[in-house]
Each structure stands twice: as C-alpha cells, then as structure tokens.
Amino acid sequence: MRALTAMELMLAGMAYLLAKHAIADFFLQTRYQWANKGRYGHPGGLLHVAIHAALSLPVLLILVPRTGDQAGAVLGLEALVHYHCDWLKEQFVKRLQLTPETDGFWRAMGADQLVHGLTYVGMVWALMHPL
C-alpha cells in the first residue's frame, strides 16, 4: 500500500473538517448553543466552540503534524476564530433585526460559513507546514 501524497492528505483533511463542520453546526448544535452565541462569554457559545475543537482533533491523525504544540495552537486559533465569527454574525443579525425571511440574514449566514471554511484551509495549511 502506498503512502498518501501531501495533496491527498490535504484534501482528506479538508473533507474531514468540512464534514465535521456540518455535523457540529447543523446536527449537534442545540437551541442552548445557538440562542446564546450572541452573548459574549456565555457557556452556550463556548460549548459550541468546544464541540468544534473536540471534533477537529481527529484531523490531526489524518495530517500527522510533527509537533503537538503546533497542533494545539492550530486548534486554539480555530476556537478563537470560530467563536468570534459566530458572535459577530449574531451581533450583525440582531442589530439589523434580520430573520430567515430577509436577504441580509442569508448573506450573514453565507459570510459566516465562508469564514469557517477559510479557517479550515488555514488549519490544513498550517498542519502540513510545521514550523
């Protein structure tokens, strides 16, 4: 059996992270989490981010980082970016009184999801390029 190429590892890592994101954001997220992500520091939002970080751990097995410190830093940055991206989207939605019936709500949701996806691109790149 041949070893996977770097490109194959990166694609596997991205596929895993995107699937993980769908599971954590759309299947595991409870009302307690999504209803409180706009309240800075609320345990509901922190729990949501903790679930994301915990589910990101297996990608480390896929990408085989060389240092645990770098992997920990990548997961910490994911949590930080994810938390603040969700919080900022909630602030935007609440201040503009956006609802799923408004175009702005879906633009905000799309921007939020794009930032999360780009975060995963950065994570995979960082894990594949140890310092």
Side-chain angles (χ1 to χ4, degrees), residues 4 7 9 25 31 33 49 67 77 81 83 95 105 122 124:
L4 295 176
M7 181 63 74
L9 285 171
D25 257 21
R31 177 177 178 78
Q33 293 170 45
V49 168
T67 66
L77 285 172
V81 170
Y83 183 85
R95 288 192 181 145
F105 176 88
V124 168

Side-chain angles (χ1 to χ4, degrees), residues 18-130:
L18 291 171
K20 178 273 310 188
H21 185 82
I23 291 166
D25 257 21
F26 298 103
F27 295 96
L28 297 179
Q29 187 169 200
T30 64
R31 177 177 178 78
Y32 176 72
Q33 293 170 45
W34 62 256
N36 292 298
K37 290 191 298 187
R39 297 173 58 199
Y40 200 84
H42 190 281
L46 297 172
L47 174 61
H48 175 66
V49 168
I51 290 168
H52 270 280
L55 291 177
S56 290
L57 283 172
V59 83
L60 304 180
L61 299 174
I62 294 169
L63 299 180
V64 193
R66 293 185 190 140
T67 66
D69 290 344
Q70 184 173 356
V74 167
L75 288 177
L77 285 172
E78 176 199 7
L80 190 66
V81 170
H82 194 107
Y83 183 85
H84 287 93
C85 179
D86 283 359
W87 180 83
L88 186 61
K89 181 199 62 159
E90 289 300 315
Q91 297 310 300
F92 184 76
V93 165
K94 286 178 185 174
R95 288 192 181 145
L96 296 179
Q97 298 178 346
L98 302 175
T99 68
E101 290 77 34
T102 61
D103 292 342
F105 176 88
W106 295 104
R107 290 183 185 116
M109 177 71 88
D112 172 78
Q113 294 301 302
L114 175 62
V115 170
H116 295 317
L118 292 174
T119 300
Y120 299 140
V121 170
M123 288 172 64
V124 168
W125 184 89
L127 291 168
M128 294 297 296
H129 295 87

Side-chain angles (χ1 to χ4, degrees), residues 1-15:
M1 183 172 191
R2 73 172 178 83
L4 295 176
T5 67
M7 181 63 74
E8 290 168 332
L9 285 171
M10 291 189 318
L11 287 173
M14 280 302 301

